[in-house]
Amino acid sequence: MPRPDLNLLLALDALLEEGSVIGAARRMHLSAPAMSRTLSRIREALGDPVFVQVGRKLMPTPKALALREQVRVAVEQASQVFASSAEIDLKSLDRRFSVRATDEFVSIHLGYLLDAMAREMPRAMLRFSPEEDDVDEEALRSGRIDLFISASRKLGPEIRVQSLFTTTFVGVARAHHPIFDEEITPERLTHWEHINVSRRGRAAGPVDAALEAQGLRRHVALVVPNPYTALFALLDSDLLLPLPRHLASTALAAGLHIRLFDLPIPLETVLLTQAWHPRLEGDPAHQWLRRTIHTLCNESQAQAAKRAKP
């Protein structure tokens, strides 16, 4: 079997990223006709059109979309081989990171992370991947995601995990909600309908388990995939919304007409972690990303503890 031309892999990566022959040619330092000839060779090697013309745009075929992450991972791993003996210049490094992260992290730390990237790794790009029905550790193993930031959970034994910060849940309601007229008890908490935030569409969570332990039950009237939809939904209603304290405090600071209250039920503290596959352990760019995220979270936690002191 003849050896594949690995230049075709680099060209396919450029085409998938740029979505045009001209853009890929510029990235590969080739002429447009030369890139068109390369695309013909890629089509022949894969036995697939790879791209089809739709109007003035090239649209990837289903096979090309299925190969996108595999191609990206292969190119980045090959790049690490040749860069391993030399010091990496982060400022000139073209790098894409696929990250799956909780809303708590995004709402609090994303702006600071982007500022740090603009200074230290300005040519890098973050691509946030939605939470899907696939297994998170499988997404890390396959390279579909490079970093997983979430509430601590059991992952595969080889997956590297680092603690970031802890948070607790609080209740959120519109500023003049009648729940604030009297003491907030577990019984009164169930008097009004609730919103549940779940990317996977789940209607039950830790709040339901804590209420059930006291012989109580709430009615979840609305399930939404993100907290931003939930926050705007409760502004003109009597719905109640349990949210992580960090996230709720960010919404309050943004000027939304809401009030926070301590939930009158025992809930465990939530630990947020970042996880990655060991193949990225020694990758300098990935190391920088993990270190920067860890530092940002530590600084935020320290500031929160300082504000909490009387």
Side-chain angles (χ1 to χ4, degrees):
M1 179 178 176
R3 289 186 178 182
D5 184 350
L6 295 183
N7 285 321
L8 297 183
L9 187 68
L10 295 172
L12 178 56
D13 182 56
L15 284 162
L16 288 168
E17 181 63 24
E18 299 293 336
S20 76
V21 170
I22 293 175
R26 188 183 304 115
R27 182 167 167 174
M28 294 285 293
H29 305 290
L30 296 173
S31 66
M35 180 55 72
S36 293
R37 291 193 294 271
T38 301
L39 176 55
S40 297
R41 294 175 59 202
I42 293 172
R43 286 168 167 162
E44 183 180 351
L46 292 177
D48 185 83
V50 185
F51 291 93
V52 293
Q53 194 79 32
V54 178
R56 295 185 178 182
K57 293 184 177 180
L58 283 179
M59 299 297 292
T61 63
K63 183 170 183 176
L65 289 174
L67 288 172
R68 185 196 297 269
E69 292 303 320
Q70 185 180 351
V71 169
R72 183 182 66 85
V73 170
V75 169
E76 289 183 353
Q77 288 181 340
S79 299
Q80 290 173 33
V81 170
F82 291 101
S84 59
S85 61
E87 185 176 347
I88 299 294
D89 179 12
L90 295 179
K91 289 187 181 298
S92 63
L93 187 65
D94 282 311
R95 185 64 181 271
R96 290 158 287 163
F97 297 104
S98 289
V99 180
R100 185 176 292 174
T102 62
D103 295 301
E104 298 98 291
F105 174 82
V106 172
S107 65
I108 300 165
H109 301 294
L110 181 56
Y112 298 105
L113 177 58
L114 290 174
D115 284 345
M117 287 180 64
R119 294 192 305 270
E120 304 291 335
M121 200 164 22
R123 299 181 66 176
M125 180 183 74
L126 285 177
R127 179 168 56 200
F128 280 88
S129 168
E131 189 169 5
E132 299 169 347
D133 291 333
D134 60 351
V135 180
D136 299 308
E137 62 199 76
E138 287 301 325
L140 289 168
R141 288 192 187 106
S142 68
R144 289 195 299 278
I145 58 174
D146 302 310
L147 195 65
F148 179 45
I149 301 173
S150 75
S152 180
R153 64 187 68 182
K154 187 175 181 181
L155 297 170
E158 83 280 18
I159 302 298
R160 306 288 193 264
V161 179
Q162 182 181 42
S163 298
L164 293 177
F165 64 94
T166 58
T167 189
T168 55
F169 275 79
V170 296
V172 185
R174 63 180 175 85
H176 301 293
H177 195 289
I179 196 172
F180 298 113
D181 295 343
E182 301 176 28
E183 179 187 355
I184 300 174
T185 63
E187 291 78 10
R188 292 191 73 234
L189 188 66
T190 63
H191 181 76
W192 289 276
E193 295 177 328
H194 287 231
I195 305 176
N196 203 57
V197 178
S198 171
R199 292 186 180 183
R200 298 186 180 185
R202 295 170 180 164
V207 171
D208 301 276
L211 286 170
E212 186 177 346
Q214 299 189 34
L216 297 169
R217 203 173 163 187
R218 66 172 180 163
H219 173 52
V220 175
L222 177 64
V223 179
V224 295
N226 63 74
Y228 313 110
T229 302
L231 284 163
F232 284 103
L234 64 78
L235 290 177
D236 297 316
S237 72
D238 282 342
L239 292 166
L240 301 177
L241 172 64
L243 272 188
R245 184 180 296 274
H246 289 73
L247 189 53
S249 299
T250 301
L252 185 63
L256 291 183
H257 296 295
I258 57 174
R259 283 179 64 180
L260 314 186
F261 60 92
D262 291 330
L263 291 168
I265 49 176
L267 292 173
E268 293 184 2
T269 297
V270 179
L271 172 65
L272 274 292
T273 63
Q274 61 177 344
W276 63 95
H277 193 272
R279 71 173 175 276
L280 296 168
E281 184 75 19
D283 178 353
H286 201 274
Q287 286 177 339
W288 179 92
L289 181 65
R290 301 192 311 260
R291 183 172 61 251
T292 301
I293 288 172
H294 188 255
T295 300
L296 287 173
C297 291
N298 279 345
E299 290 175 351
S300 176
Q301 197 86 335
Q303 291 171 4
K306 187 181 295 184
R307 288 193 300 268
K309 288 183 178 179

